[in-house]
Amino acid sequence: MELTRRTALKGAGAVGLAALFSHAFHEAALAAPDMDEAEFEQLRQRWVDQLTGRLEVDSNDSAFGPALTALDQEVRNAIELIAPEVDDGPGSEYDLLTNPTFSDVGADGFPAGWNAWNPAGSASATVELDGGPDDGAALAITSDSGADARLAFTQRLPIPPGIPREFTVTAQVKGTDLSGGFSMLRVQAYDSDGSVVVPIGSGPYLRGTFDWQRYERRIELPPEAVELSVGVMLDRTEGTIWFADIQVSDGADARTFVDLPFLPEGNEGNIVTTFRRIQSIATAWATPGSDYFEDESALETALGALRRTNVLTYNPSTAEYGNWWAWESGSARSLADSMALLADHIEPEHFEDYADAIDFYVSDPWYQFPEHSPRRALSEGANRVDLCQAVIIRSIAGADTDRLAHAVAGLSDVWQIVESGNGFYYDGSFIQHSTVPYTGTYGLVLLRALSRLFALLADTSHDIDDPSHQILLDSVEGSFAPVIYRAQMMDPVRGRAISREHERSIDNGFMAIEAIATLAQSVEAATARQWRGRCLHWLETNDYRSIYDGASVPQVAIIKELEASGAEPVPDPLGPTLFARMDRLIYRGEDWATAIAMCSDRIAWYECGNGENEFGFKTSNGMTYLYLPDDIAHYDDEYWPTSDLMAPAGTTVDTTELPARTEGQWGLSTPDNEWTGGAALNDIALAGQHLIGPGGTGLNARKTWLCLPDMIIALGSDVVTGSGNEVKTVIEHRNLGEDHRRLVVDGVEVTAATEVGDPTWAHVEGVAGYLLLDVPQLRASVRERSGSWSRNHTAGSSTEHTRVYATLESVHAPDRTTYAYAVLPGVSANRTQARSHNPGIELLANDADVQAVRIGHVQAANFWGPGRGGEISCDQPASVLAEINPGRGRVSISDPTHQADTVEVFLHGNQPRRLAGQSERVQLHPEDSGLRIVVDTAGLGGVPVTFELRR
């Protein structure tokens, strides 16, 4: 029996063992020895090497020229957008609140500078000098007369007239037993006559009991406003309310770059962009060959911009608003990188301020959201890595051993094998958002981030030596390599990214190559040579686009190092990779590859969200991707804006028109199907899917695929719908680019949309031949299709693209609920016609219970119910693949429901009856009429058990 390492771990309960190793690693990491100054400096220099690529940069090398030019232009643009300095301090041109922290107490015991107002009831006020958050001062207002108590403290601030302004008033607030009422921050504005021009807002009101939290009010001032009133108030309630750290900021000047205001909420992403621009300036300053290399003016600009951004917004006195990621991840990482780049030139007190800011927003990288937030939770996946990276680099730049050790220890959780939810599964699957196959984007982000940190820390006292890190290393071959074809990341594992105009599959493929080449810097020589060979093979076989096109300087440096490594290209192995946990089958044939995208009660039809992939809901209805060596641009060549998203190749579809976001966003909805799964041998693969169509149309179908070195056989049965609309199975829907090519059916060229009854073969020039084994009614066409990226992405461009498509469809009638065909990739029309006379494919069964096919010595059967297909029978759901030769046999059996503890299969006839080798999961019971096989499938989650038989 052959099981992957992940399967073996799962079967033995070794996920727990990995967790035990990981726990031990955490303890050891947290007790890591102190590092001396030289070690910290070595790590900082390593990180600067990564950020700049300076060890490889050669300005005379044509590959570096465009990257250096692009960097310089980016910096030039950034410097031109630096905002002018404000002399009297950030956020305003005049002083605002007096005593905003309440720490100055008057003789009456009330906070100095604040005017008390008690219109009704009885309430008392006390300044608690260490009662606020972080042991600062706070003003406590307590009701003494019950629900009628009203007490406020206010200030009026003069506002220069004539200029419309936006102000933000924030406070830290806490409440105990606030029974109701209207307690709040009161903000209003007056004109020169004393008339209210901006009234007090209605809420949000502070009620109940709650710990310290941020409270914010925003106010738009019209030109006639000359006075702003700010007040804190307990209003018609029992209980006590505390206020601390009142801040009034004028959003007009809260920016470092003129086009990136930090306020109001919704603009927090501008803080990230601000730090990234500063990092670009710092990177150019540190990059040999840049026009700004060691340029004093660029250095001063970067230092000044860092200081301004820290003072204006990114500091412990500014609570998070809007998206947490902007504060804790995006900004923290870019700031830490700039600290590493400019460490020798940042004033010590400023450096401490920046470190304090990161420590405030990322107090513990194992968590996300602020400490007092009800949303605070353990971070996971790429988010955990990003948070740990921010702290690791800040700790290296700031020589903080304890925080460095804690952040490094936090990385281990992200590569542990999971049994549900997000992350890596034991069969190599990578899932995000619980139901979406995402190796090519979210998984890739994780790999890229970890590869850089592994390379950074390799062979140091903080090297990542957790024994479970082998899981991540295994993912290169087990998770990522199978889904890369000639430097492209296969689309069925890219999720919403298929709808992104500026992130094509080749872009994600290049990112993966960069990540794997970087990770190779941290492993032993043989593994590094293997991975580099893989990367070189992908680049060598890709003639679509150069990896240097649009690459940054450090990316060029990584590829230059890869090319100079001396590694020999390592071709991709032929055969299948079955990702049972994410319903994807990848198969490499003779100079071609296919990927079959399915869905199940575990895996969503698709994912949309943020306006992305709004019409992608049929891309897992059995969509069959065909990758050809002479057509590797197929899916990147405007396929997604121009193809028929309602009927992708390989799918069975109901033609009912469905709206955007059918089945909802974020992959929250999955079909309640019977099963999806398969089986695999070294060079043969079987997949099956009980399809329930999206949108509640009533579409059902049973679909089977058998992949062999020279063909893909597809079967369908039980094809029905409840909508009354047409149902069809799409044999082919091929993007031919901008030129028409020949489509032939039974020797007749198709020049206009046509339907043919009982055809036997078809051929698309430069693509494939098609054996039409059971296609009673074929619709064929070659025609232009036009569309824009905006149809499937709300932010996509509206530019119209036109491509020519060859389409073959099996149109189902109510009394014809089956189909069968074979795809012969790269085969000529003559060979297809000849093969059609003697296909050599025997359809053994194709009904509601069994779908089975025989070709040569290979038999394959998917069992939906009790039944028999040729020499294989089974009385339960199963996927069975067998290759029986005289005296020997190979068998692969899975439980595609992921629920059964055992699967029992019977091989009829005179079969080999002994195991070749040992297997704890397989029991053989020879009988007079054949061989009964019982396979232990407990805990395998659909992964097949593979074994050999002999006489």
Side-chain angles (χ1 to χ4, degrees), residues 631-881:
D631 190 21
I632 61 175
H634 177 266
Y635 296 103
D636 279 0
D637 182 25
E638 312 305 342
Y639 174 87
W640 293 107
T642 60
S643 68
D644 185 356
L645 292 177
M646 298 301 99
T651 63
T652 298
V653 297
D654 181 307
T655 56
T656 300
E657 185 174 344
L658 298 174
R661 299 183 294 281
T662 290
E663 298 298 344
Q665 301 187 80
W666 306 114
L668 296 179
S669 180
T670 62
D672 186 20
N673 78 336
E674 294 174 14
W675 64 257
T676 298
L681 295 171
N682 290 342
D683 55 354
I684 312 168
L686 174 67
Q689 174 187 23
H690 171 218
L691 171 65
I692 296 177
T697 63
L699 174 66
N700 272 257
R702 303 185 189 280
K703 296 172 70 69
T704 285
W705 297 264
L706 177 62
C707 296
L708 300 150
D710 62 345
M711 72 173 67
I712 307 161
I713 300 171
L715 308 181
S717 67
D718 235 18
V719 180
V720 297
T721 189
S723 72
N725 290 317
E726 181 182 272
V727 175
K728 59 187 179 182
T729 295
V730 186
I731 299 169
E732 185 58 274
H733 184 57
R734 191 72 182 178
N735 176 8
L736 303 180
E738 298 182 80
D739 299 320
H740 287 256
R741 280 185 257 164
R742 282 170 54 88
L743 167 59
V744 174
V745 176
D746 283 346
V748 179
E749 183 173 358
V750 174
T751 57
T754 186
E755 296 201 9
V756 181
D758 295 316
T760 58
W761 67 278
H763 184 266
V764 177
E765 182 184 358
V767 179
Y770 306 84
L771 304 180
L772 307 175
L773 307 172
D774 176 19
V775 180
Q777 191 70 19
L778 178 74
R779 181 180 296 145
S781 67
V782 178
R783 71 181 186 91
E784 292 184 347
R785 294 183 55 87
S786 298
S788 70
W789 285 92
S790 61
R791 71 163 178 168
N792 198 34
H793 192 310
T794 56
S797 73
S798 59
T799 302
E800 285 281 313
H801 301 277
T802 300
R803 294 293 182 270
V804 179
Y805 280 80
T807 304
L808 296 168
E809 299 171 339
S810 176
V811 182
H812 298 290
D815 60 341
R816 298 304 298 266
T817 63
T818 63
Y819 66 83
Y821 62 89
V823 182
L824 311 178
V827 171
S828 69
N830 288 338
R831 287 182 59 194
T832 303
Q833 182 179 18
R835 186 69 181 265
S836 70
H837 297 310
N838 184 20
I841 302 168
E842 185 180 358
L843 300 182
L844 302 172
N846 192 20
D847 55 41
D849 295 319
V850 186
Q851 291 176 302
V853 63
R854 175 163 40 215
I855 180 166
H857 296 291
V858 175
Q859 287 192 58
N862 280 327
F863 292 91
W864 308 99
R868 177 172 175 172
E871 297 170 351
I872 306 172
S873 62
C874 185
D875 63 358
Q876 67 187 98
S879 193
V880 183
L881 185 57

Side-chain angles (χ1 to χ4, degrees), residues 95-163:
D95 294 331
L96 294 178
L97 285 176
T98 298
N99 191 22
T101 63
F102 305 117
S103 57
D104 185 5
V105 183
D108 56 2
F110 290 163
W114 293 83
N115 301 309
W117 179 56
N118 184 202
S122 175
S124 55
T126 306
V127 174
E128 300 176 1
L129 292 177
D130 58 359
D134 300 322
D135 298 324
L139 173 65
I141 308 175
T142 301
S143 170
D144 296 329
S145 61
D148 66 338
R150 305 184 73 194
L151 178 59
F153 289 84
T154 64
Q155 288 189 40
R156 289 197 173 191
L157 312 173
I159 304 296
I163 302 175

Side-chain angles (χ1 to χ4, degrees), residues 11 36 61 148 217 242 350 369 387 518 523 574 653 753 793 930:
D36 61 27
D61 187 323
D148 66 338
R217 296 300 305 275
W242 287 262
H350 296 169
F369 303 111
L387 295 172
T518 301
V523 299
L574 302 183
V653 297
H793 192 310

Side-chain angles (χ1 to χ4, degrees), residues 163-247:
I163 302 175
R165 293 183 178 277
E166 179 182 89
F167 283 82
T168 300
V169 183
T170 62
Q172 295 292 321
V173 295
K174 184 175 78 167
T176 298
D177 299 328
L178 299 173
S179 57
F182 307 96
S183 300
M184 61 185 293
L185 270 176
R186 293 166 55 93
V187 183
Q188 56 187 335
Y190 304 88
D191 63 15
S192 58
D193 296 328
S195 300
V196 173
V197 292
V198 178
I200 295 171
S202 56
Y205 303 116
L206 299 165
R207 295 165 178 163
T209 297
F210 50 89
D211 204 349
W212 287 108
Q213 64 185 39
R214 185 178 187 269
Y215 183 100
E216 179 181 287
R217 296 300 305 275
R218 290 193 181 85
I219 184 170
E220 290 274 357
L221 298 184
E224 62 270 22
V226 297
E227 194 171 47
L228 180 70
S229 174
V230 177
V232 298
M233 187 171 190
L234 177 111
D235 193 0
R236 287 165 280 189
T237 181
E238 300 172 333
T240 301
I241 189 167
W242 287 262
F243 293 92
D245 193 20
I246 313 299
Q247 295 184 22

